[in-house]
Amino acid sequence: MTSRRHTVAVATSTTAVSTSKALVRHSFYVLSGAGVLWTRWRDTHGTTRYERQMRAAEAACDQDRLLEWEARDVAEKARRHGRVMDWINAPLAWLRAAGTAVLGVLGLLVGLGVVLALASRDITQVIAPIAGVIDAVAWTVTFVTIYGSLLGTLLLTGAVVGLWALGRARTEPPAWVAPAGQRTVDDAVTPSKTVIALRDLGIPTLTRAIKRSEDAGGAMLSPIRIAGCGVEVDIRLPSGVDTSEIQSRRRKLAENLDRHEHEVFIAVPAPRTVRLWIADPGALDQPIGPSPLLADPDGVRADIYTGHAPWGQDLRGDRRTISLKQFHLLITGLSNQGKTAALRALALWAAFDPTTEFWIADLKGIGDWHMFTGLATHLVEGPADEHVIAATVLLEAAVDEMQRRITTLDPARHPDGVPRDLARRPGSGFHPLFVIVDEAQQAFMCPALDEHSRPYGGTKATSRYFNAARKLHNQGRAVNVVLWHVTQDPTDQNLPKLVREGAHIRASLVVGTESQARMAVGDKAVDGGAAPHLLRQGVDKGTLVCNGAGMDLPAGESSIILRTHHINGDQATELAARAQEQRVKARRTTTAAGSEETAEDVDHIAVMIEVMGPAPHLKRSELLARLHDHDLPTYRDWEAKTLAQYLDTAGVATVSIKGYPRVRRADLLTIHANHPLHNTDSDLDVDSDIDTDSDGRD
């Protein structure tokens, strides 16, 4: 028993295991080297390469190249047939040649012997050359007999070493015999590495297509592009391979590329094409930096119509912004993954537009939206049923406000909905109104009934909250009333299909299953590669998979992965306070700027030159937007026709570039040099789109 234990201990010792692995590894090198040598000989002495090229041409439907390689194959087979016939007839020819050679050599030796005999006058010298040749042959036989085994051993050793070196250079041993730490992982993503990763996915059709292709699959790949903290490559799949087969093998593909699963993202930009984004190892675990709102809080300016809210960075490292103009929004995800912070960042940016209004229902009730006290016209905070009832009343009031705007808006004057000039006009009643409900699943799951036994929550047609949300989704955006929802763990019970389908911007943090991912961002986005269910819970906090509404997506992509900027509670409170200060300042200056005397002291041409900066020319619409951002109280009532009338009165020429009316900076400088102060406000005709009461108020 003791000897058995000793034997087992010796056999399983580190030295024995490493020695056994080394023996197997080096034997593998010799055998694989022989295989490489055999493959080379077969390719150079057979028609294998011609057949391979013909299969590649046939797969590519290239008839000209197929005919060319077929002709070469026929010619090579004819040459080999002729060579075989030569080998059949060769023995007789060799015998004849050998006989002739022997007779010739004997004649030469005898002739040489005769010359030696005449020279030495010794008849025995006639056979001396023949005797010398016989002695040389005898010495060679003796030498080979004595030293032949040594020479054979040296030649065999050289051959084995050559095969070992060839196998070690061209192949890799199995992982189980590789010594620890010998193989260094190559982080670089190269075409050959990508093709090998695809070949080893276990898809037979793809593997055969790669092996049969003329360039070993290289033509499938686009150029590998650097994209932020990783690289990007498009792969054109061969016929018979579905993009879903690649998507379903994401983990194996990532490991074949020496990456973790979360470091490889697969999109489908076109039919039979997959786009791989492969992160640098560990790059996604690094923070992306603070929000631009925190870089210069005093300099933040927002315009819902012309501006874009900074939200984060995409995987390519590009800063991403999103338009919030008349977009309903939905953010979903598991609990404690950053849903509220992601939505609050957008609301904070919108708060810096003094024309916006907020109605907020925070059904979590732990203070995530408390900094909007004073900014929000209505703020409901709490998770109880009475808070859900208040949120329902809030949505129904938003529906009433939407109906008022619809009946007030003149469709003849505004066929395209509420224009920017009308939305920003004080007292117009068409300013952007954001209705925000955080933890909306509380509202849908609320069992409370009103005095008429109608449920506040639920997903049926009798639900008051559900009906109000649907009405806002149907018509709200046309009159600047939008609904933003935040909910967790989406299901048909806590997020009805009609509500989630009504949102334009749909974003999701990590969710549990693919079915939830489809509820969150839609079937089209998931079929195109969106996979919020593959994000890492607790690690990828703040990482959103968005359907791309409001953003400029690359051509063919149906979703985008966004790493959002995190704004904590203290920072959000500071930003909200600054937004409130800007609003108070705007209200104060609006009154001061209303007098005609103040307006007459404004040199509008100089202001235009200032806001244009170094640009040689600007669109009139962009110039108007910059004037609003520069001094909203002064230019609040200016519309496009107001600016056009002022420029015409001042003598500023308007040129058309690419079909857009533009104002040239040189013309403004010329007018300002000749007439330093231009005030034609008294000549301007600023129309009002809203009927006024007898006392002059809107």
Side-chain angles (χ1 to χ4, degrees):
M1 191 68 176
T2 304
S3 61
R4 180 181 179 184
R5 290 179 180 176
H6 180 70
T7 303
V8 172
V10 172
T12 57
S13 65
T14 304
T15 303
V17 171
S18 60
T19 302
S20 301
K21 286 185 177 181
L23 180 61
V24 174
R25 183 169 62 253
H26 294 297
S27 300
F28 173 83
Y29 287 147
V30 174
L31 295 176
S32 60
V36 172
L37 200 61
W38 162 252
T39 302
R40 288 180 178 177
W41 185 90
R42 184 188 60 187
D43 286 344
T44 55
H45 293 80
T47 60
T48 304
R49 54 181 173 178
Y50 298 100
E51 295 173 359
R52 187 167 59 246
Q53 295 292 347
M54 285 191 292
R55 286 194 297 266
E58 185 177 9
C61 298
D62 190 343
Q63 295 297 324
D64 294 336
R65 195 173 65 173
L66 177 61
L67 293 175
E68 177 186 352
W69 283 107
E70 187 176 7
R72 292 185 181 185
D73 180 53
V74 171
E76 174 64 15
K77 288 179 178 178
R79 186 189 68 80
R80 289 179 60 82
H81 176 72
R83 187 176 180 183
V84 169
M85 297 305 297
D86 292 341
W87 277 102
I88 293 175
N89 298 325
L92 183 59
W94 288 348
L95 290 175
R96 293 173 181 172
T100 304
V102 169
L103 292 177
V105 170
L106 286 175
L108 178 63
L109 293 176
V110 171
L112 180 61
V114 171
V115 173
L116 291 175
L118 293 176
S120 61
R121 296 181 180 181
D122 185 0
I123 191 62
T124 60
Q125 294 297 320
V126 174
I127 60 173
I130 298 176
V133 172
I134 295 173
D135 291 339
V137 172
W139 181 88
T140 302
V141 171
T142 303
F143 181 84
V144 171
T145 302
I146 297 174
Y147 299 103
S149 58
L150 178 61
L151 291 177
T153 302
L154 291 176
L155 291 176
L156 181 61
T157 302
V160 171
V161 171
L163 293 176
W164 176 89
L166 184 61
R168 189 171 186 270
R170 293 304 183 94
T171 60
E172 291 186 4
W176 61 275
V177 298
Q182 180 185 22
R183 179 176 178 267
T184 58
V185 177
D186 185 9
D187 293 335
V189 179
T190 61
S192 60
K193 185 174 185 177
T194 305
V195 171
I196 292 173
L198 293 170
R199 183 198 65 190
D200 296 340
L201 282 181
I203 304 175
T205 305
L206 179 60
T207 303
R208 288 195 298 268
I210 292 175
K211 290 182 177 180
R212 292 174 179 176
S213 62
E214 180 180 354
D215 54 359
M220 297 166 51
L221 308 182
S222 71
I224 298 178
R225 307 175 293 274
I226 296 177
C229 56
V231 296
E232 189 177 68
V233 59
D234 290 346
I235 302 170
R236 177 70 171 174
L237 300 176
S239 178
V241 181
D242 190 356
T243 54
S244 62
E245 296 182 79
I246 306 297
Q247 290 176 309
S248 63
R249 290 169 171 81
R250 178 185 174 191
R251 173 173 294 182
K252 180 180 286 189
L253 177 60
E255 293 179 353
N256 289 349
L257 293 168
D258 297 317
R259 297 294 192 274
H260 293 293
E261 183 180 10
H262 69 273
E263 293 175 332
V264 174
F265 292 89
I266 305 173
V268 183
R272 230 176 71 196
T273 302
V274 294
R275 177 170 294 164
L276 301 184
W277 185 84
I278 306 163
D280 298 333
L284 295 184
D285 297 328
Q286 303 299 321
I288 65 172
S291 169
L293 297 179
L294 302 174
D296 184 16
D298 295 329
V300 177
R301 297 292 184 271
D303 189 324
I304 296 299
Y305 272 78
T306 61
H308 287 70
W311 210 8
Q313 292 181 1
D314 61 15
L315 295 180
R316 299 173 181 86
D318 299 328
R319 179 166 292 177
R320 281 291 180 172
T321 59
I322 185 170
S323 173
L324 302 179
K325 176 190 173 185
Q326 299 176 346
F327 282 124
H328 299 301
L329 184 145
L330 169 66
I331 296 181
T332 63
L334 298 180
S335 178
N336 193 31
Q337 298 301 308
K339 299 183 299 296
T340 299
L343 183 66
R344 191 175 60 192
L346 300 180
L348 286 169
W349 177 83
F352 282 91
D353 184 342
T355 66
T356 57
E357 184 179 4
F358 296 93
W359 296 3
I360 302 175
D362 178 13
L363 300 182
K364 186 188 300 182
I366 60 173
D368 287 342
W369 294 89
H370 194 69
M371 70 285 300
F372 275 78
T373 302
L375 276 175
T377 306
H378 304 285
L379 179 60
V380 178
E381 295 181 283
D385 287 349
E386 56 266 26
H387 300 107
V388 174
I389 294 173
T392 303
V393 173
L394 188 71
L395 257 66
E396 291 175 340
V399 173
D400 294 337
E401 170 65 13
M402 175 190 72
Q403 296 294 348
R404 182 199 64 78
R405 295 186 180 197
I406 291 175
T407 57
T408 305
L409 184 66
D410 185 359
R413 301 186 63 183
H414 305 293
D416 297 325
V418 181
R420 180 180 183 277
D421 299 334
L422 178 59
R424 301 186 71 84
R425 182 175 305 161
S428 68
F430 289 93
H431 56 279
L433 173 59
F434 294 93
V435 183
I436 302 174
V437 182
D438 196 354
E439 301 294 338
Q441 75 276 0
Q442 296 274 32
F444 291 109
M445 301 297 290
C446 178
L449 303 176
D450 63 9
E451 63 275 11
H452 301 293
S453 298
R454 292 183 57 197
Y456 286 96
T459 60
K460 296 182 179 180
T462 56
S463 169
R464 292 177 58 177
Y465 186 92
F466 174 77
N467 276 291
R470 285 298 302 142
K471 289 177 182 178
L472 290 176
H473 279 164
N474 288 339
Q475 296 177 298
R477 66 176 299 274
V479 288
N480 265 352
V481 180
V482 295
L483 177 60
W484 289 0
H485 269 144
V486 177
T487 183
Q488 63 174 314
D489 194 20
T491 64
D492 286 327
Q493 288 71 36
N494 61 24
L495 187 61
K497 177 179 176 62
L498 292 178
V499 173
R500 62 178 183 256
E501 295 292 340
H504 307 103
I505 301 172
R506 299 172 66 177
S508 176
L509 292 100
V510 57
V511 292
T513 63
E514 181 179 341
S515 62
Q516 290 180 322
R518 293 182 179 276
M519 293 181 186
V521 296
D523 292 333
K524 179 180 179 182
V526 174
D527 292 337
H533 55 291
L534 296 180
L535 296 175
R536 298 168 295 170
Q537 184 176 359
V539 179
D540 293 325
K541 283 188 175 182
T543 300
L544 284 170
V545 179
C546 187
N547 65 349
M551 298 183 182
D552 295 327
L553 292 185
E557 294 191 8
S558 58
S559 64
I560 186 172
I561 298 174
L562 198 67
R563 303 174 69 196
T564 58
H565 297 294
H566 178 67
I567 301 176
N568 61 36
D570 293 336
Q571 295 168 338
T573 301
E574 180 182 354
L575 288 173
R578 294 184 181 277
Q580 181 69 4
E581 292 175 3
Q582 283 194 15
R583 287 170 174 252
V584 172
K585 181 180 178 181
R587 285 196 295 266
R588 290 174 179 174
T589 54
T590 299
T591 304
S595 64
E596 184 176 349
E597 180 180 356
T598 304
E600 291 177 354
D601 294 335
V602 178
D603 189 347
H604 298 299
I605 297 295
V607 174
M608 293 179 190
I609 295 173
E610 178 183 355
V611 300
M612 284 188 68
H617 51 75
L618 279 180
K619 295 180 183 179
R620 278 206 311 227
S621 59
E622 186 175 354
L623 177 59
L624 181 60
R626 293 193 182 188
L627 290 174
H628 287 161
D629 292 338
H630 176 76
D631 189 355
L632 181 61
T634 300
Y635 298 99
R636 185 187 300 273
D637 293 335
W638 281 46
E639 301 178 356
K641 62 181 180 181
T642 312
L643 176 61
Q645 183 179 352
Y646 178 85
L647 294 174
D648 292 339
T649 305
V652 179
T654 301
V655 297
S656 179
I657 301 178
K658 294 184 179 180
Y660 294 98
R662 295 178 179 262
V663 179
R664 293 182 296 196
R665 190 171 187 272
D667 295 336
L668 294 177
L669 291 173
T670 302
I671 296 296
H672 186 263
N674 296 331
H675 305 284
L677 185 63
H678 282 268
N679 289 295
T680 58
D681 286 0
S682 59
D683 299 326
L684 300 182
D685 181 16
V686 180
D687 295 333
S688 175
D689 292 87
I690 305 299
D691 296 334
T692 56
D693 298 330
S694 58
D695 59 355
R697 294 176 298 177
D698 291 343

